[in-house]
Amino acid sequence: MSAVVAQTLHVFGLRSHVANNIFYFDEQIIIFPSGNHCVKYNVDQKWQKFIPGSEKSQGMLALSISPNRRYLAISETVQEKPAITIYELSSIPCRKRKVLNNFDFQVQKFISMAFSPDSKYLLAQTSPPESNLVYWLWEKQKVMAIVRIDTQNNPVYQVSFSPQDNTQVCVTGNGMFKLLRFAEGTLKQTSFQRGEPQNYLAHTWVADDKIVVGTDTGKLFLFESGDQRWETSIMVKEPTNGSKSLDVIQESESLIEFPPVSSPLPSYEQMVAASSHSQMSMPQVFAIAAYSKGFACSAGPGRVLLFEKMEEKDFYRESREIRIPVDPQSNDPSQSDKQDVLCLCFSPSEETLVASTSKNQLYSITMSLTEISKGEPAHFEYLMYPLHSAPITGLATCIRKPLIATCSLDRSIRLWNYETNTLELFKEYQEEAYSISLHPSGHFIVVGFADKLRLMNLLIDDIRSFKEYSVRGCGECSFSNGGHLFAAVNGNVIHVYTTTSLENISSLKGHTGKIRSIVWNADDSKLISGGTDGAVYEWNLSTGKRETECVLKSCSYNCVTVSPDAKIIFAVGSDHTLKEIADSLMLLTFDDQFLLTAAEDGCLFTWKVFDKDGRGIKREREVGFAEEVLVTKTDMEEKAQVMLELKTRVEELKMENEYQLRLKDMNYSEKIKELTDKFIQEMESLKTKNQVLRTEKEKQDVYHHEHIEDLLDKQSRELQDMECCNNQKLLLEYEKYQELQLKSQRMQEEYEKQLRDNDETKSQALEELTEFYEAKLQEKTTLLEEAQEDVRQQLREFEETKKQIEEDEDREIQDIKTKYEKKLRDEKESNLRLKGETGIMRKKFSSLQKEIEERTNDIETLKGEQMKLQGVIKSLEKDIQGLKREIQERDETIQDKEKRIYDLKKKNQELGKFKFVLDYKIKELKKQIEPRENEIRVMKEQIQEMEAELENFHKQNTQLELNITELWQKLRATDQEMRRERQKERDLEALVKRFKTDLHNCVAYIQEPRLLKEKVRGLFEKYVQRADMVEIAGLNTDLQQEYTRQREHLERNLATLKKKVVKEGELHRTDYVRIMQENVSLIKEINELRRELKFTRSQVYDLEAALKLTKKVRPQEVSETEPSRDMLSTAPTARLNEQEETGRIIEMQRLEIQRLRDQIQEQEQVTGFHTLAGVRLPSLSNSEVDLEVKTN
């Protein structure tokens, strides 16, 4: 068989929990996520094109489109790693432009993204706990800036750019509203939140520096440059009539205070619960979208509000309300408008508003409709058709119609047409549907609901049930290929029904686990099943028995299928032998042209199947699709009645319209007459007016003509006067010009003389300066030579001092080395002594086998000690090297240390003062501790009382368990008696049947008296045996009496034994409680000893650190640091004495613990005593080994 390829054709579904999940590409095309694809959907032409996600992607998280509609960014998780893929939407098909998946910072996933106004930069927000905001130059995959938004693991919901500024950024989340600006390679916060923090769910930019923000308590804020300018609250009111009205209340400026929010981030389920219990609920603003007149925002379940800007102020007022309509096909119509609006988007021309909801639905509305319905709220319409809002559990197709049947956990059944890509039928029910199967004719379906299995008719506009079976939680059902049978799974049993008589013809039992898949062979003679028990069975329906079987208990089978010749069975399971497609449903249509897939996200995909050359698959089984549909007789009668009523109504309307038209004609003719009379009168009046105006016009013309002639005469005279004046002025100006020209020549000659004089003076001054600076340069060179000789002399002195310091430090290092070697020998001797003591203790406590194990542990500890000592030696060598390096630095730090010594002396005096103050405070704190100890004592008494109550509860539980066992025994006995009676009943029924057959045979000889007599005698001898019956009845009564007597005796013995068990249990329980309390006190003592040991170790460590510090001090500083050395010398002696005391205390405690352990072992040897709940003290040997290791 040649290889085939499936190409995505159409999808029915939406992934609603992807951030920013819907937007417009142009006026007709919208983009939304579905499955692992992004869908480009043409609203007018109804076609879909697909942008495939990354391979091995685990799902999309967020989308973002660039402002120029050219690029699309998709945030995904690919093989548990985050990735951002940027597609170029302008190319056909859409191609990948960049993939961002190599990050220099920690990131789990990107939850929100945004493009800059020029589409060159990309802003991405990571999820907590990192909560990083990344500013990318995405074309070059360069991170321009990164900043951590939140350090308290609060969720961030949305990030965005300013619509006009690449450097301005807004971030909103739980308790945060931040404005940041990109400058000098970093993102700096420009505004700081004032007032009480809110849970900001969404925001949008309504201007260059103005942002509208919505919260989870129904509040809307307007911020301008980070300062609050306006605030309003949205409240959902539930009046007494049951209908909800949405009003905007508490509109105010930023000075008004509002009540605090009780819950920072309620979930969607909590909001629904709160709204059902409370009369007033606060709506959550999940989405805000801006447009030219204002903005739209979600205002609680099923509602969107439009706000428009007020002309005189920079505030907004609610203008209209839009609601999600009630779904008439829904089982509970009121639930359809209880879905939250998660995303809003306006078309580029702002003619259409599109919304996506939490139940995976897409709605749209034209903005002109909202303007028409000013009085009442407008309603959304489905953008395509109602989609599944929960995982799809069943998928089926048929032969005679291009239908796909799906059922889902949203309690709905939907029928889709994969040729026209439309929704044919849709109905919701009270229960969840787990499986579905279509009859080959396309007229019937069988659906497995949570409570029953229903066989239903597919009518022209309804899905109607006509037979129900008591099969609960049917996980799989399937019609046979011929349609005369269907099988349904009930746990591990397969029920086979006939579609003609609707009866159960066989029940196939054999699976021990849940059955996951069933399939019929081509001729419907066999049924193949696979289940979680790892078994695949082939059933023969004529006999009802298994023919072949394959059991692999390590594999849990998910799906089985059979080849067309029924010789090969394919199975897919958890061992991934073929390939497992997890959590998804796949199905091929009967003509092999389309592949259907559905998954838990509620999306249904149809794929066109091609061969490897791109040609369609040749149809081997071509069957024409039927056009017939089922219609009930009552529906036909109702429709016929409706048609008759409509016809009569149409005739009546025609008569009424004709009558109305005649009336209108008469009215119009009268009006026309009146208007003609009016117009004639007006025309006559206008004619007279026209004549008057003409006479006036002629008079005005004569007047204007005379006036113009006068003006022309005046103008000619004025022109002549002006010409004379101008000629005289020109002559005067020419004379002035000649005089100025002579002046300019004289001034030019003077300036040339001055320039020559300046050049001569400048050359003389330059020569003098050069001579002066050359003399200075010679002086500086001589000074520099002298300074160089001084530097050489200082270097020689420095080398001599360096040699002396090195010799001194070598001597000090030798002294330190000898001291540490002595200390190591002392430590080894002490370790050997302690090991001998521990060996003696181990011989006392453990057996021979434990001694062997402890010896091996000792060897391991010695090796560990050796490694530690080697580490100490290495660290000492490193200290030596560090001292050598310090020698070089000492010359520079001597002066600093002298200053520090002086400062430390001052601080020592101040610390003495602080010590006095702290001693006083310690006394006061001890006085405050006493009432706390009294409270602890009271609480201990309460704990003891509660333990006593707990014991009483244990007693009651044991008594109830005994009662339950007695009742179970009685129940079993009654079950056995019931079975015996049923067996007797069956025997009697069989006897009656045999007697009826024999009697029927006797009736055949009714014409022959002799033979009839013999047959009747035979019947009497065969069925009537009175003496035997009497004897058997007597025996049965004796047996029954003996059985009851023995049963009563056993029940009495059982009751006495139970009482004894209860008494002994109470005695043992008191012992257990006492020993448990002793164990607890011992454990407390051990823990206190361990704490004391840790404290002594810390003191030893402080002592060692102090010794090291004293040894590092130079001999030159001895005179200045003598007081501090005296203090340190006194401290070690005191601490050594404390260490000896703690050692003695530990030894005494060990002896006491050993004595108590011996007592516990003696008590355990007592018969019937066991430790309570397996409580064991920690082994003393192990704790001693730990002690040795830590001290060493």
Side-chain angles (χ1 to χ4, degrees):
M1 185 180 176
S2 63
V4 294
V5 179
Q7 181 181 350
T8 314
L9 187 65
H10 200 85
V11 66
F12 306 96
L14 167 72
R15 288 179 75 95
S16 62
H17 294 287
V18 177
N20 194 13
N21 56 28
I22 187 163
F23 37 78
Y24 271 89
F25 175 61
D26 57 25
E27 196 63 37
Q28 286 82 31
I29 297 172
I30 62 169
I31 297 175
F32 60 88
S34 182
N36 197 25
H37 293 66
C38 274
V39 184
K40 291 174 72 176
Y41 176 68
N42 191 305
V43 179
D44 295 335
Q45 300 176 10
K46 309 296 183 186
W47 52 256
Q48 289 184 355
K49 291 182 181 178
F50 294 87
I51 304 169
S54 303
E55 289 187 3
K56 298 181 181 178
S57 172
Q58 295 168 350
M60 297 179 185
L61 300 170
L63 301 179
S64 180
I65 192 169
S66 61
N68 59 7
R69 315 283 176 183
R70 189 175 174 184
Y71 304 111
L72 173 67
I74 301 175
S75 167
E76 299 175 286
T77 303
V78 182
Q79 293 181 338
E80 297 183 355
K81 292 181 180 179
I84 296 176
T85 310
I86 299 170
Y87 292 87
E88 191 169 352
L89 295 174
S90 57
S91 62
I92 300 173
C94 299
R95 63 182 180 86
K96 288 184 182 179
R97 184 68 179 267
K98 289 287 177 185
V99 178
L100 308 175
N101 53 10
N102 293 321
F103 309 113
D104 298 332
F105 48 89
Q106 287 187 350
V107 57
Q108 293 181 359
K109 56 186 178 180
F110 293 99
I111 55 176
S112 182
M113 298 180 297
F115 277 99
S116 63
D118 58 0
S119 304
K120 290 182 181 178
Y121 299 97
L122 181 68
L123 196 67
Q125 176 66 45
T126 67
S127 62
E130 296 88 11
S131 297
N132 290 324
L133 182 66
V134 189
Y135 189 92
W136 258 302
L137 180 63
W138 63 267
E139 282 280 2
K140 297 181 180 178
Q141 298 187 5
K142 181 182 177 183
V143 176
M144 304 296 289
I146 184 169
V147 65
R148 187 165 186 184
I149 289 297
D150 185 56
T151 58
Q152 299 177 356
N153 291 339
N154 288 325
V156 180
Y157 298 119
Q158 187 180 354
V159 297
S160 66
F161 275 100
S162 170
Q164 303 296 331
D165 189 359
N166 283 348
T167 62
Q168 187 81 5
V169 172
C170 179
V171 182
T172 53
N174 188 358
M176 73 179 77
F177 170 76
K178 294 184 179 181
L179 287 174
L180 300 100
R181 185 173 288 281
F182 176 71
E184 299 176 357
T186 58
L187 283 166
K188 297 179 181 177
Q189 188 170 349
T190 59
S191 70
F192 295 90
Q193 189 173 345
R194 297 177 191 142
E196 188 177 356
Q198 303 278 339
N199 186 7
Y200 300 106
L201 298 178
H203 71 267
T204 188
W205 296 77
V206 292
D208 295 348
D209 57 350
K210 293 180 181 178
I211 306 170
V212 174
V213 187
T215 69
D216 65 339
T217 57
K219 290 186 179 180
L220 293 171
F221 298 94
L222 176 66
F223 291 96
E224 184 175 357
S225 301
D227 298 326
Q228 184 179 326
R229 300 295 183 197
W230 174 74
E231 177 182 350
T232 185
S233 290
I234 304 165
M235 297 293 291
V236 178
K237 294 183 180 179
E238 291 188 0
T240 54
N241 58 1
S243 64
K244 293 182 181 179
S245 65
L246 198 69
D247 296 331
V248 177
I249 63 166
Q250 280 188 336
E251 187 164 336
S252 65
E253 295 189 15
S254 60
L255 297 174
I256 296 176
E257 295 182 356
F258 285 81
V261 183
S262 60
S263 174
L265 181 59
S267 65
Y268 176 66
E269 289 81 4
Q270 289 171 349
M271 279 298 299
V272 171
S275 63
S276 63
H277 291 298
S278 64
Q279 200 73 2
M280 298 282 287
S281 63
M282 305 299 287
Q284 293 179 322
V285 182
F286 285 108
I288 306 176
Y291 69 114
S292 59
K293 294 182 181 179
F295 64 90
C297 70
S298 64
R303 285 168 176 78
V304 173
L305 287 181
L306 295 178
F307 284 83
E308 290 184 358
K309 189 175 181 181
M310 298 170 71
E311 294 178 358
E312 62 274 6
K313 295 182 181 178
D314 289 337
F315 300 153
Y316 293 85
R317 61 177 180 83
E318 182 199 349
S319 60
R320 292 171 193 87
E321 178 185 357
I322 310 171
R323 294 186 183 182
I324 292 174
V326 174
D327 191 353
Q329 296 294 328
S330 175
N331 179 52
D332 187 1
S334 63
Q335 291 295 324
S336 59
D337 61 349
K338 290 184 180 177
Q339 47 189 327
D340 282 314
V341 177
L342 299 183
C343 189
L344 292 169
C345 182
F346 284 96
S347 63
S349 65
E350 297 183 355
E351 290 182 0
T352 310
L353 174 64
V354 176
S356 65
T357 69
S358 58
K359 290 189 178 179
N360 302 349
Q361 306 298 327
L362 286 171
Y363 294 96
S364 69
I365 189 170
T366 55
M367 296 302 289
S368 58
L369 288 176
T370 62
E371 293 174 1
I372 291 167
S373 59
K374 286 186 178 179
E376 296 180 357
H379 287 86
F380 280 106
E381 294 178 352
Y382 282 110
L383 183 67
M384 296 182 289
Y385 22 69
L387 304 169
H388 280 297
S389 60
I392 295 173
T393 54
L395 177 67
T397 184
C398 63
I399 300 170
R400 295 286 291 145
K401 288 188 178 183
L403 295 180
I404 308 165
T406 57
C407 62
S408 170
L409 295 180
D410 61 7
R411 302 177 181 178
S412 70
I413 297 169
R414 297 167 201 257
L415 285 159
W416 315 87
N417 191 317
Y418 58 80
E419 279 198 339
T420 60
N421 296 322
T422 55
L423 180 66
E424 295 276 336
L425 278 175
F426 156 54
K427 194 168 183 181
E428 285 191 2
Y429 292 88
Q430 293 278 355
E431 300 85 17
E432 294 176 347
Y434 299 131
S435 59
I436 194 168
S437 181
L438 256 175
H439 193 270
S441 65
H443 293 309
F444 313 103
I445 55 168
V446 61
V447 185
F449 288 96
D451 59 344
K452 289 180 182 179
L453 177 74
R454 291 183 173 89
L455 185 64
M456 295 187 276
N457 286 327
L458 298 179
L459 305 179
I460 189 169
D461 56 356
D462 193 12
I463 304 172
R464 198 167 295 174
S465 174
F466 68 93
K467 181 65 177 177
E468 294 181 351
Y469 300 94
S470 59
V471 177
R472 296 176 66 84
C474 176
E476 283 292 324
C477 62
S478 176
F479 273 104
S480 63
N481 295 317
H484 61 292
L485 300 172
F486 66 91
V489 173
N490 185 10
N492 57 0
V493 180
I494 304 170
H495 300 286
V496 181
Y497 300 90
T498 175
T499 56
T500 54
S501 62
L502 308 176
E503 292 180 355
N504 186 358
I505 58 172
S506 64
S507 297
L508 309 177
K509 299 178 182 178
H511 282 279
T512 57
K514 193 175 181 181
I515 298 169
R516 296 290 296 274
S517 179
I518 55 173
V519 65
W520 298 82
N521 68 343
D523 60 355
D524 298 334
S525 61
K526 295 176 183 176
L527 186 69
I528 295 93
S529 63
T532 57
D533 55 356
V536 177
Y537 295 142
E538 184 180 14
W539 306 85
N540 190 327
L541 293 179
S542 60
T543 61
K545 295 181 179 179
R546 288 181 290 197
E547 284 198 348
T548 58
E549 62 182 52
C550 174
V551 181
L552 183 63
K553 291 188 177 179
S554 62
C555 175
S556 174
Y557 287 110
N558 293 319
C559 187
V560 295
T561 188
V562 65
S563 61
D565 56 1
K567 292 183 179 178
I568 303 171
I569 297 170
F570 299 97
V572 177
S574 59
D575 60 352
H576 302 268
T577 306
L578 291 176
K579 187 177 181 184
E580 181 179 5
I581 300 160
D583 298 328
S584 65
L585 301 167
M586 295 184 69
L587 195 64
L588 268 172
T589 57
F590 182 74
D591 55 0
D592 298 334
Q593 296 294 310
F594 299 96
L595 174 69
L596 313 174
T597 60
E600 281 195 350
D601 58 1
C603 297
L604 171 66
F605 278 83
T606 61
W607 309 70
K608 181 71 176 174
V609 182
F610 298 95
D611 61 9
K612 60 182 180 180
D613 298 327
R615 297 189 301 269
I617 300 296
K618 190 177 179 181
R619 301 194 180 190
E620 296 178 357
R621 303 177 287 184
E622 179 126 15
V623 179
F625 292 131
E627 295 291 334
E628 297 85 4
V629 292
L630 291 179
V631 181
T632 60
K633 190 176 179 181
T634 54
D635 287 344
M636 288 291 289
E637 290 174 353
E638 286 175 2
K639 285 181 179 177
Q641 185 67 31
V642 169
M643 285 173 70
L644 286 171
E645 290 176 358
L646 289 172
K647 281 180 182 178
T648 55
R649 181 66 179 154
V650 166
E651 290 176 357
E652 289 174 359
L653 287 170
K654 279 182 180 178
M655 296 287 287
E656 286 180 4
N657 286 330
E658 288 175 358
Y659 177 69
Q660 292 292 334
L661 284 169
R662 283 197 298 271
L663 288 173
K664 284 179 181 179
D665 289 337
M666 292 167 68
N667 290 326
Y668 288 145
S669 60
E670 289 176 358
K671 284 180 181 179
I672 287 164
K673 285 179 182 178
E674 291 175 358
L675 288 169
T676 50
D677 295 337
K678 280 183 183 179
F679 285 136
I680 289 163
Q681 290 174 2
E682 286 178 359
M683 281 170 71
E684 289 175 354
S685 64
L686 287 169
K687 280 178 183 179
T688 55
K689 281 183 183 178
N690 196 7
Q691 287 175 359
V692 172
L693 289 169
R694 275 179 185 175
T695 54
E696 287 179 357
K697 181 178 176 288
E698 289 172 357
K699 288 178 183 178
Q700 289 289 332
D701 286 340
V702 172
Y703 173 73
H704 285 301
H705 185 67
E706 292 173 354
H707 187 63
I708 286 164
E709 286 177 354
D710 294 336
L711 287 171
L712 286 169
D713 293 335
K714 278 184 182 179
Q715 189 179 8
S716 61
R717 285 195 298 273
E718 286 174 359
L719 272 171
Q720 288 173 2
D721 296 336
M722 291 288 284
E723 282 176 1
C724 294
C725 293
N726 286 329
N727 288 328
Q728 291 174 1
K729 285 180 181 178
L730 281 169
L731 289 169
L732 293 168
E733 291 294 330
Y734 182 70
E735 290 172 357
K736 286 180 182 178
Y737 172 71
Q738 285 178 349
E739 289 175 0
L740 289 168
Q741 197 168 7
L742 290 169
K743 281 183 182 179
S744 66
Q745 285 175 1
R746 284 196 297 272
M747 287 175 75
Q748 191 171 3
E749 289 172 359
E750 289 175 0
Y751 285 134
E752 285 175 356
K753 285 178 184 179
Q754 287 178 5
L755 282 169
R756 283 193 294 272
D757 295 338
N758 285 329
D759 289 334
E760 289 173 359
T761 56
K762 195 183 286 183
S763 61
Q764 288 175 3
L766 199 141
E767 287 173 359
E768 291 173 359
L769 284 169
T770 50
E771 289 173 359
F772 175 72
Y773 281 114
E774 281 176 356
K776 267 194 172 182
L777 198 142
Q778 286 177 359
E779 290 176 3
K780 292 287 180 184
T781 50
T782 55
L783 288 170
L784 197 139
E785 287 173 357
E786 290 175 359
Q788 285 178 351
E789 287 177 1
D790 291 338
V791 167
R792 291 192 198 99
Q793 184 66 28
Q794 287 178 2
L795 282 169
R796 284 194 294 274
E797 290 176 0
F798 174 72
E799 285 176 356
E800 288 176 3
T801 54
K802 185 179 175 182
K803 285 178 184 177
Q804 291 175 4
I805 289 164
E806 284 178 353
E807 288 173 1
D808 294 339
E809 291 299 328
D810 288 335
R811 283 196 297 274
E812 284 183 8
I813 289 160
Q814 288 293 329
D815 294 339
I816 290 164
K817 199 171 182 181
T818 54
K819 284 179 183 179
Y820 276 113
E821 284 175 354
K822 285 179 183 178
K823 195 171 183 181
L824 277 170
R825 283 196 294 273
D826 294 338
E827 290 292 332
K828 283 181 181 177
E829 288 174 2
S830 63
N831 284 338
L832 289 168
R833 187 173 66 256
L834 288 168
K835 283 173 191 172
E837 290 176 2
T838 53
I840 293 163
M841 295 299 287
R842 286 194 195 96
K843 286 176 186 177
K844 289 179 182 178
F845 293 136
S846 62
S847 62
L848 289 171
Q849 190 173 359
K850 286 186 178 179
E851 284 182 6
I852 293 162
E853 292 176 356
E854 288 169 1
R855 287 291 169 88
T856 54
N857 291 329
D858 290 338
I859 291 161
E860 289 176 359
T861 53
L862 286 169
K863 285 180 181 177
E865 289 170 4
Q866 189 177 359
M867 294 295 289
K868 287 180 181 178
L869 291 170
Q870 288 175 357
V872 171
I873 291 161
K874 287 178 182 177
S875 66
L876 290 170
E877 289 174 354
K878 288 179 183 177
D879 291 338
I880 290 161
Q881 292 176 359
L883 288 167
K884 285 181 180 178
R885 286 194 295 273
E886 284 177 7
I887 287 162
Q888 296 175 359
E889 297 171 359
R890 284 283 173 86
D891 294 329
E892 297 175 358
T893 57
I894 284 166
Q895 294 177 356
D896 296 333
K897 284 188 176 179
E898 287 176 354
K899 289 178 182 177
R900 284 181 192 169
I901 288 161
Y902 180 70
D903 293 334
L904 286 168
K905 285 179 179 178
K906 281 186 176 181
K907 285 182 182 177
N908 198 0
Q909 292 174 0
E910 291 175 359
L911 288 168
K913 294 175 183 177
F914 282 129
K915 186 182 176 185
F916 179 74
V917 175
L918 289 170
D919 289 336
Y920 180 72
K921 285 185 178 179
I922 288 162
K923 289 176 182 177
E924 288 182 349
L925 289 169
K926 282 180 179 177
K927 291 177 183 178
Q928 291 177 4
I929 288 165
E930 289 178 359
R932 291 287 178 90
E933 289 178 351
N934 294 328
E935 289 179 3
I936 290 162
R937 200 177 297 110
V938 172
M939 295 298 287
K940 283 181 180 178
E941 291 175 358
Q942 289 180 0
I943 289 163
Q944 289 177 359
E945 291 175 359
M946 290 173 76
E947 286 177 351
E949 289 180 3
L950 188 66
E951 287 179 12
N952 293 328
F953 283 132
H954 280 303
K955 288 177 184 178
Q956 291 176 4
N957 285 336
T958 51
Q959 187 62 38
L960 289 169
E961 285 173 359
L962 291 170
N963 292 336
I964 288 162
T965 50
E966 288 178 4
L967 291 169
W968 272 110
Q969 288 175 357
K970 289 179 181 179
L971 187 66
R972 289 192 194 98
T974 52
D975 285 337
Q976 289 176 359
E977 289 177 6
M978 188 174 70
R979 289 193 197 97
R980 284 196 294 271
E981 291 296 327
R982 285 179 178 172
Q983 187 63 39
K984 285 179 184 179
E985 187 179 353
R986 285 195 289 272
D987 293 340
L988 288 170
E989 285 177 355
L991 184 68
V992 170
K993 282 183 180 178
R994 286 198 300 274
F995 179 74
K996 284 181 179 179
T997 51
D998 291 340
L999 187 64
H1000 183 69
N1001 293 329
C1002 287
V1003 171
Y1005 299 102
I1006 198 161
Q1007 300 294 333
E1008 299 176 0
R1010 188 175 57 79
L1011 291 171
L1012 182 64
K1013 189 177 180 181
E1014 290 176 359
K1015 292 289 182 180
V1016 170
R1017 190 181 290 114
L1019 279 173
F1020 182 79
E1021 291 172 356
K1022 186 176 181 180
Y1023 292 104
V1024 181
Q1025 298 175 355
R1026 294 182 182 277
D1028 295 338
M1029 292 294 285
V1030 170
E1031 289 174 3
I1032 289 163
L1035 286 169
N1036 286 335
T1037 53
D1038 294 334
L1039 286 169
Q1040 189 70 28
Q1041 289 174 359
E1042 183 65 23
Y1043 169 75
T1044 53
R1045 187 177 60 77
Q1046 289 181 1
R1047 182 177 173 182
E1048 288 172 358
H1049 176 68
L1050 289 170
E1051 285 177 353
R1052 284 195 296 275
N1053 290 336
L1054 185 66
T1056 54
L1057 288 169
K1058 284 177 183 176
K1059 290 177 183 177
K1060 286 181 182 178
V1061 167
V1062 171
K1063 288 179 182 178
E1064 288 176 359
E1066 289 175 355
L1067 292 170
H1068 287 306
R1069 193 174 289 106
T1070 54
D1071 293 332
Y1072 291 165
V1073 171
R1074 180 177 55 77
I1075 292 159
M1076 185 66 185
Q1077 291 173 354
E1078 290 176 359
N1079 288 342
V1080 169
S1081 63
L1082 288 171
I1083 289 164
K1084 286 180 181 177
E1085 288 177 3
I1086 290 162
N1087 289 329
E1088 288 173 358
L1089 290 171
R1090 284 176 178 167
R1091 283 196 290 273
E1092 289 175 2
L1093 184 61
K1094 191 183 283 184
F1095 179 71
T1096 54
R1097 282 180 189 157
S1098 65
Q1099 288 179 343
V1100 171
Y1101 182 80
D1102 294 338
L1103 182 63
E1104 288 176 357
L1107 287 169
K1108 284 182 184 178
L1109 286 170
T1110 55
K1111 287 176 183 177
K1112 286 184 181 179
V1113 177
R1114 290 190 56 183
Q1116 295 173 1
E1117 301 167 1
V1118 170
S1119 62
E1120 295 177 0
T1121 58
E1122 276 180 359
S1124 62
R1125 287 203 173 185
D1126 293 338
M1127 289 169 71
L1128 288 168
S1129 62
T1130 55
T1133 55
R1135 286 178 180 172
L1136 286 170
N1137 292 331
E1138 288 176 3
Q1139 190 173 7
E1140 289 174 1
E1141 287 177 4
T1142 53
R1144 286 196 297 273
I1145 291 164
I1146 289 164
E1147 191 64 33
M1148 291 169 66
Q1149 294 292 341
R1150 281 180 184 163
L1151 293 170
E1152 183 65 22
I1153 290 162
Q1154 181 57 36
R1155 186 179 64 76
L1156 292 168
R1157 282 182 181 276
D1158 293 337
Q1159 288 181 5
I1160 290 164
Q1161 287 179 357
E1162 289 173 2
Q1163 289 179 359
E1164 282 179 349
Q1165 289 173 2
V1166 178
T1167 58
F1169 180 83
H1170 302 286
T1171 57
L1172 202 159
V1175 173
R1176 290 174 61 92
L1177 287 169
S1179 64
L1180 191 63
S1181 60
N1182 292 335
S1183 63
E1184 287 169 3
V1185 171
D1186 294 337
L1187 259 167
E1188 290 169 10
V1189 172
K1190 290 177 181 175
T1191 53
N1192 293 334

